[in-house]
Structure formats: structure tokens, C-alpha cells
Amino acid sequence: MPNSQTDPKSIQKIPVPNRMTLEEFLENDLEGYEYVKGELVRMPPTSMEHGEISSNVILHLSLYVFEHQLGRLYTAGTTFHLGDRAVKPDVAFVSTDRLPENREQASPIPPDLAVEVVSPSDKHYDVTEKALAYLKAGTRLVWVIEPVAKTVMIYRSETDFTVLNYEDTLTGEDVVEGFKCPVAQLFE
């Protein structure tokens, strides 16, 4: 019998108790969950591969962001408020001029750049919906990294997106200006 705590196939949406609002979720920041349209969505434990790719993104991006004093990077434990959602991107960037004064709570603003690493349990529909939710909330750039195909889907808007493959170079465009990294390095 699969254990819902460890089996990624058993991920389910759990109705939020009537007394819990988005604001209450943000105050309590329930570990292992995101809040999507009135429901708690349990996030599966991540694989080692997922962690390695996220770490590679952080390694390359953080060195550049720190060196050029562009803003701050945030890891998967950080909650961002996106309209009717509270999400935890695998990696997020917020530019210096947009950093909230009070950073002792979940971010009241969307990140400038959100990075999602696709897990085996993720459904393509849900990943696309989440990328578009970031954009709708004001995120300027979303990178969806697909480990099996070794690709990065770059979303700029609902109608402007590009797929980069293993041989291409990922850039920060006008969000993390000047940043460049070979896509292959994300999968090393």
C-alpha cells in the first residue's frame, strides 16, 4: 500500500478548512504545501536529481547576482503570494529595487524570475498553469527546467515562450541583465 507521505503518485489536493484563508496560510506558511485557489496542495519530496539541478541554478545565478548586486535569490522554502495562490518556486529572484522592507514573512510580491524544476510526479498541465500564474501575478520571466529532455522552457508571457535545449545558452534577458549560462551546466 503506497504511503501518501512518500509516494509522489499519491499527491492530492486537500480542501482547506472553511476557517483558513489565504492570509491565514501566509501567516502559518505550512511546510510542504502550496495554496492554490482555496486548496492546500501537498508538494512531494524532491529527488536528488531535482536538488542537483536546483543547486546548479542557484550556484550559477547567485554568483552573478551577488557580484553585480542585482537583488536576492530565494530557495524552495520561500513562499511568494501570487493573487489567489501562495507558491514556493524552486528558485526565485527579486531585484534590489523591488525587495520588500519586511522580509521576515512570506513575500507579498511575485518574484521577478521564478524557476521550476519539473518532478516525475508533475503533470504538464499543472506546470504550465503555474508558469502562467506567475506571469499573471507580475513575474517577468519563468524558467521551467525539464530534467528528462534536458530543456528549459522560458515563459515571458502567455504567448511568448521559447524552448532551449542542452546545446543552447540560457540568459537572464532584461530581468537578470548580462547573466548567461550554458543549459548543459544545469544538468551536470
Side-chain angles (χ1 to χ4, degrees):
M1 173 180 258
N3 178 341
S4 64
Q5 297 287 332
T6 59
D7 183 6
K9 293 177 185 164
S10 65
I11 298 167
Q12 55 186 309
K13 292 185 177 180
I14 303 167
V16 176
N18 290 338
R19 64 184 192 279
M20 181 176 273
T21 63
L22 175 60
E23 290 73 26
E24 289 170 328
F25 177 83
L26 290 169
E27 286 174 16
N28 294 300
D29 200 7
L30 301 174
E31 188 174 331
Y33 288 89
E34 290 184 336
Y35 184 96
V36 179
K37 300 177 184 175
E39 295 181 328
L40 287 177
V41 178
R42 181 145 176 73
M43 304 310 297
T46 58
S47 67
M48 290 178 73
E49 178 183 52
H50 186 282
E52 290 166 3
I53 293 168
S54 296
S55 293
N56 286 341
V57 171
I58 291 168
L59 172 69
H60 296 290
L61 197 55
S62 67
L63 289 173
Y64 186 84
V65 167
F66 181 77
E67 182 180 313
H68 294 89
Q69 299 182 357
L70 298 176
R72 297 284 185 165
L73 283 187
Y74 296 92
T75 60
T78 308
T79 302
F80 287 85
H81 186 187
L82 307 178
D84 61 354
R85 296 172 181 250
V87 299
K88 298 176 183 184
D90 293 312
V91 181
F93 165 75
V94 178
S95 62
T96 302
D97 61 332
R98 292 189 63 245
L99 286 170
E101 279 188 41
N102 181 359
R103 295 194 296 271
E104 295 177 5
Q105 60 189 14
S107 177
I109 62 166
D112 292 293
L113 166 67
V115 181
E116 292 290 341
V117 179
V118 177
S119 297
S121 60
D122 286 334
K123 295 177 186 163
H124 179 72
Y125 175 87
D126 292 336
V127 172
T128 302
E129 181 185 40
K130 190 174 189 180
L132 297 178
Y134 281 117
L135 296 170
K136 183 178 179 186
T139 298
R140 296 172 48 208
L141 192 61
V142 180
W143 297 342
V144 176
I145 301 174
E146 210 299 312
V148 175
K150 294 186 174 19
T151 59
V152 180
M153 174 75 85
I154 300 169
Y155 291 89
R156 294 171 205 88
S157 75
E158 213 172 284
T159 58
D160 184 5
F161 48 89
T162 306
V163 178
L164 299 181
N165 68 39
Y166 197 77
E167 297 173 350
D168 292 325
T169 298
L170 179 64
T171 70
E173 301 186 12
D174 63 343
V175 178
V176 185
E177 286 191 52
F179 173 76
K180 292 181 182 181
C181 176
V183 170
Q185 288 184 356
L186 302 178
F187 302 100
E188 291 180 346

